[in-house]
Amino acid sequence: MKRIKNIVGIIFFVSLIAGIYYLYINEKAADHKGPVLSARSESITVGLDASDQEILEGIAAFDDKDGDVSDSILIENIKKQEEGEDNAFTVTYVAFDKSNNAGRISRTLYYEDYRKPRFTLTQRLRFPENQDFSLFNYVHADDCIDGDISPFITFYGNDTIPEKPDKGIYDCTLQVKNSVGDSALLPVQIEIYEDSYEEHSLRPQIILKEYLTYIEKGDKFRPEDYLDYVNDQGILLIGPAQDKTENTENTDNTEDMTSDAHSISVSRIDIHSDVDTDVPGIYSAEYSYKSEKTGYECNASLIVIVE
């Protein structure tokens, strides 16, 4: 009986040693090292409509055990670079060997036709007091990669706008971010005015063709080109400025010489602009008009972003 126990013990010990040795051999033979990726160039330039295959151009992967595994290369992610040119991104590639080990490499990707996300204002951000409104009905954003990203707009700033705000000017900032991590900021002012008969019936309005515009650095900017019309107890179309030295012998009333029943000269509108198209930044053009009929004044503002 004792001899049988000894034999069983020996068999168990030998099996244990054999098992440990087997695990050691398998572990030694196991592949834990991922493939090594290489890039033919440190950067690549493509258009926004480039295919994955175009972005993968010049990338290869080699594994010590499996050899060339370039067919497994994928684009892992593309992220906007925090510093550098506006169209500079970091693209990261990943490749796998037959043991599912991963290897990675990154390089700079330039989108030649990229631009940052842009905002659109459909009207002046001016609302009557004690009236419910949603800014998201008047503010939109689009992106050259993602398209409409309006649902991702957020508001923040020095002033908190209550559900039913009191009369006053509120400063806040619009922010939106696209899928590659690039964000755009836009400071705006929201005016809440007293809802009254005078505001509805007597105060004129300057209507612009747009309330936010983007122009390229160095382009010409003419603020008068953004005027649409004036609502002064009726629609007044805006015509060109007229020479006040023209003959006025047939005029015997005090009405503006440059106006008729349905139009006014652009000279009736005061325009002040701080736009410098040689320096990228956020600027504004301010417009003001005083009604000869009611004596009430009004103003409008155009946000100009020089890129």
Side-chain angles (χ1 to χ4, degrees), residues 73-85:
I73 301 174
L74 300 172
I75 298 171
E76 186 172 47
N77 60 63
I78 298 175
K79 293 294 183 182
K80 183 73 174 66
Q81 293 185 357
E82 294 184 3
E83 298 181 357
E85 301 176 58

Side-chain angles (χ1 to χ4, degrees), residues 44-59 75 93 107 109:
I44 184 172
T45 301
V46 298
L48 285 169
D49 58 351
S51 64
D52 287 356
Q53 196 59 40
E54 291 176 277
I55 299 175
L56 288 167
E57 183 180 352
I59 303 295
I75 298 171
Y93 306 89
R107 66 175 172 176
L109 169 67

Side-chain angles (χ1 to χ4, degrees), residues 30-257:
D31 183 8
H32 296 291
K33 185 178 181 182
V36 177
L37 281 74
S38 61
R40 196 161 55 229
S41 60
E42 294 183 354
S43 65
I44 184 172
T45 301
V46 298
L48 285 169
D49 58 351
S51 64
D52 287 356
Q53 196 59 40
E54 291 176 277
I55 299 175
L56 288 167
E57 183 180 352
I59 303 295
F62 186 85
D63 185 72
D64 287 345
K65 294 186 177 296
D66 301 327
D68 188 356
V69 291
S70 298
D71 289 344
S72 72
I73 301 174
L74 300 172
I75 298 171
E76 186 172 47
N77 60 63
I78 298 175
K79 293 294 183 182
K80 183 73 174 66
Q81 293 185 357
E82 294 184 3
E83 298 181 357
E85 301 176 58
D86 283 346
N87 66 337
F89 296 77
T90 297
V91 53
T92 300
Y93 306 89
V94 61
F96 301 91
D97 62 16
K98 293 180 180 179
S99 299
N100 210 34
N101 298 308
R104 291 174 173 80
I105 193 173
S106 297
R107 66 175 172 176
T108 299
L109 169 67
Y110 293 103
Y111 280 122
E112 56 189 357
D113 47 354
Y114 177 81
R115 61 166 175 77
K116 296 174 71 67
R118 287 182 172 180
F119 292 99
T120 301
L121 301 181
T122 59
Q123 69 168 54
R124 184 182 179 189
L125 300 181
R126 186 174 187 267
F127 308 97
E129 189 177 12
N130 296 321
Q131 176 177 308
D132 293 335
F133 66 90
S134 172
L135 291 176
F136 295 103
N137 292 334
Y138 312 101
V139 178
H140 305 284
D142 72 274
D143 181 64
C144 60
I145 293 177
D146 302 324
D148 184 11
I149 54 174
S150 301
F152 304 103
I153 297 175
T154 58
F155 292 85
Y156 67 92
N158 297 328
D159 296 317
T160 300
I161 303 176
E163 185 176 347
K164 291 186 177 181
D166 295 327
K167 176 182 175 182
I169 303 294
Y170 296 84
D171 293 309
C172 68
T173 300
L174 310 178
Q175 182 178 28
V176 71
K177 183 178 290 187
N178 61 16
S179 61
V180 293
D182 197 10
S183 62
L185 300 174
L186 179 66
V188 295
Q189 283 191 331
I190 299 169
E191 180 183 355
I192 306 299
Y193 64 89
E194 183 180 357
D195 196 5
S196 64
Y197 168 80
E198 289 78 7
E199 286 289 341
H200 286 292
S201 303
L202 301 178
R203 191 176 301 282
Q205 288 181 301
I206 299 172
I207 308 301
L208 304 181
K209 296 175 181 177
E210 51 188 309
Y211 294 85
L212 169 63
T213 188
Y214 292 80
I215 61 176
E216 296 294 326
K217 177 183 176 181
D219 284 356
K220 291 183 179 180
F221 172 69
R222 288 168 42 89
E224 58 269 27
D225 291 344
Y226 295 85
L227 288 165
D228 194 0
Y229 64 90
V230 170
N231 189 346
D232 187 5
Q233 298 188 338
I235 302 300
L236 299 178
L237 302 179
I238 300 172
Q242 296 185 8
D243 188 351
K244 293 184 179 180
T245 63
E246 291 180 355
N247 183 12
T248 59
E249 292 179 358
N250 295 328
T251 302
D252 57 2
N253 56 52
T254 59
E255 185 177 356
D256 190 325
M257 301 298 97

